[in-house]
Amino acid sequence: MIGGGNSAVEESLFLARFASRVTIVSRGALSASRTALAKLAEQTSIDVLPNTVPVAFAGQHGHLETVVLRDETSGQQREIHPGGVFVFVGVTANTELVKGFVDLDEHGAIQTDPTLQSSVPGIFAAGDARTGSTKQAASAAGEGAAVALSIRRYVTPLASGIPGEPCIPGQSV
Ligand SMILES: Cc1cc2nc3c(=O)[nH]c(=O)nc-3n(C[C@H](O)[C@H](O)[C@H](O)COP(=O)(O)OP(=O)(O)OC[C@H]3O[C@@H](n4cnc5c(N)ncnc54)[C@H](O)[C@@H]3O)c2cc1C
């Protein structure tokens, strides 16, 4: 398992139900929640390698055979031969579709106002792709409901013939 946050630790605990050994490779100290770390401490089949990074993956015929790891403290390298590698090192917002069109933050997430409208009138964002989102399923669903109401508020005046903001700059609705 590559990563040291909640997802990496929780997925390692899950994997340990099926794998004889799980090795967590984390470039720093583990940053998972205290609850996850307490569960990890009870596990005897999970090794943790802090301050360690993967530097090479090798194998043949499309099958992974070796992972080369480097201890960032000592600089020493070692090889391990896992049956598989799982990577949980964070996510990037999949916002290519609107890049250069609506305002994004430095992480590529869509910036929204309190009504969840983006910098372009008529374009709203909800869920993980939105700046400041909590990255939780319940929040994403709730924001989806909130956006539906915002869209209704946005389109209702347009549908009743009251001029509104154009959805796309330069185009009338
Ligand atoms: C390993 C892991 C564990 C998690 N555990 C929890 C947990 O325990 N509890 C919790 O609350 N949350 C958890 N989460 C977070 C939760 O999954 C997310 O917060 C939630 O799924 C966000 O919902 P979303 O609709 O914003 O994005 P997503 O669920 O990612 O949905 C986005 C959708 O948009 C689609 N899409 C992308 N680009 C386009 C496009 N151009 N056109 C059309 N469709 C497109 C994608 O295919 C996808 O279906 C976890 C996430 C991960 C990765």
Side-chain angles (χ1 to χ4, degrees):
M1 179 67 64
I2 298 171
N6 261 337
S7 294
V9 171
E10 281 173 11
E11 296 303 319
S12 295
L13 291 165
F14 181 71
L15 273 178
R17 291 197 220 162
F18 316 103
S20 53
R21 287 221 77 75
V22 177
T23 304
I24 300 179
V25 175
S26 174
R27 68 178 173 183
L30 297 184
S31 58
S33 69
R34 263 191 285 177
T35 309
L37 292 177
K39 285 188 206 157
L40 182 65
E42 289 169 9
Q43 275 288 339
T44 53
S45 61
I46 303 179
D47 302 315
V48 181
L49 300 179
N51 304 317
T52 303
V53 292
V55 289
F57 298 86
Q60 290 185 61
H61 314 300
H63 290 284
L64 177 73
E65 291 169 2
T66 302
V67 180
V68 182
L69 303 174
R70 184 177 62 228
D71 182 318
E72 293 287 73
T73 312
S74 66
Q76 284 190 331
Q77 294 198 358
R78 61 186 279 199
E79 291 185 356
I80 59 171
H81 307 282
V85 170
F86 295 79
V87 183
F88 285 92
V89 293
V91 292
T92 307
N94 182 4
T95 51
E96 275 298 311
L97 187 69
V98 291
K99 195 174 175 183
F101 187 55
V102 305
D103 287 350
L104 306 178
D105 67 16
E106 68 273 26
H107 304 296
I110 299 169
Q111 294 187 318
T112 52
D113 69 12
T115 69
L116 305 186
Q117 185 167 233
S118 73
S119 58
V120 177
I123 296 186
F124 296 79
D128 284 11
R130 196 182 67 75
T131 292
S133 62
T134 59
K135 311 290 185 277
Q136 294 289 299
S139 308
E143 288 180 13
V147 157
L149 295 173
S150 290
I151 291 172
R152 188 170 67 180
R153 269 195 301 274
Y154 181 83
V155 298
T156 300
L158 306 180
S160 55
I162 303 167
E165 295 285 343
C167 282
I168 299 172
Q171 290 187 16
S172 57
V173 180

